[in-house]
């Protein structure tokens, strides 16, 4: 199980998204968790163009500071601007993620910056 998690993390890194930025909600069961990691790695994609798009979405989330974390949940594409993360369902699609980022990435990043600033002032 630990070896499988390390291999999944390596696939995520190769795909362009750092595994320390991917979180899975505690109520997501093991089979959904495995499928979600497959999708984060692009293992469910049939075309090179979809894989290219996924890699570029990961780059958009991590290359501008601060990098935006991704939380995998049981349902819903949802931006959490005040908390500073993006939520996707375990069975997310590249197009669903693309739509979420197109509409909300900058707001979530700004929320993350504001949250970090507020924590630093405490």
């Amino acid at each position: 199980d630990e070896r499988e998690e390390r291999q999944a993390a390596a696939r995520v890194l190769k795909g362009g998204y750092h595994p320390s930025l991917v979180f899975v909600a505690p109520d997501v069961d093991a089979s959904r968790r495995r499928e979600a990691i497959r999708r984060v790695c692009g293992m469910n994609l049939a075309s090179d163009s979809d894989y290219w798009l996924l890699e570029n979405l990961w780059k958009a989330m991590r290359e501008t500071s601060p990098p935006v974390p991704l939380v995998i949940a049981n349902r819903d594409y949802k931006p959490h601007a005040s908390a500073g993360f993006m939520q996707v369902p375990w069975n997310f699609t590249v197009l669903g993620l693309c739509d979420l980022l197109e509409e909300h990435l900058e707001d979530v990043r700004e929320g993350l910056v504001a949250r970090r600033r507020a924590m630093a002032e405490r």
Side-chain angles (χ1 to χ4, degrees):
D1 194 38
E2 186 178 317
R3 194 179 99 213
E4 185 178 298
E5 284 185 21
R6 280 197 309 268
Q7 289 173 335
R11 283 192 303 269
V12 173
L13 277 171
K14 187 176 178 188
Y17 201 66
H18 198 280
S20 68
L21 295 172
V22 178
F23 301 90
V24 181
D27 62 336
V28 176
D29 69 36
S31 65
R32 287 181 172 187
R33 180 182 302 254
R34 280 190 297 277
E35 178 59 24
I37 295 302
R38 286 184 76 254
R39 289 170 182 260
V40 167
C41 299
M43 296 170 68
N44 65 313
L45 301 174
S47 75
D48 288 343
S49 61
D50 284 343
Y51 192 79
W52 176 85
L53 178 57
L54 181 63
E55 285 182 325
N56 282 290
L57 295 175
W58 296 150
K59 286 177 187 175
M61 291 179 74
R62 72 171 162 73
E63 284 191 344
T64 301
S65 188
V68 174
L70 181 74
V71 174
I72 297 167
N74 277 313
R75 65 181 72 76
D76 299 329
Y77 291 91
K78 188 174 179 182
H80 292 269
S82 61
F85 68 90
M86 294 289 193
Q87 173 184 317
V88 296
W90 64 273
N91 59 348
F92 75 92
T93 64
V94 173
L95 291 180
L97 178 62
C98 186
D99 288 346
L100 179 69
L101 296 181
E102 189 173 62
E103 293 291 321
H104 303 286
L105 181 58
E106 292 312 312
D107 292 337
V108 170
R109 185 169 278 124
E110 287 172 17
L112 185 56
V113 168
R115 183 168 189 239
R116 287 182 177 178
R117 189 177 303 122
M119 292 180 84
E121 291 173 357
R122 289 184 182 175

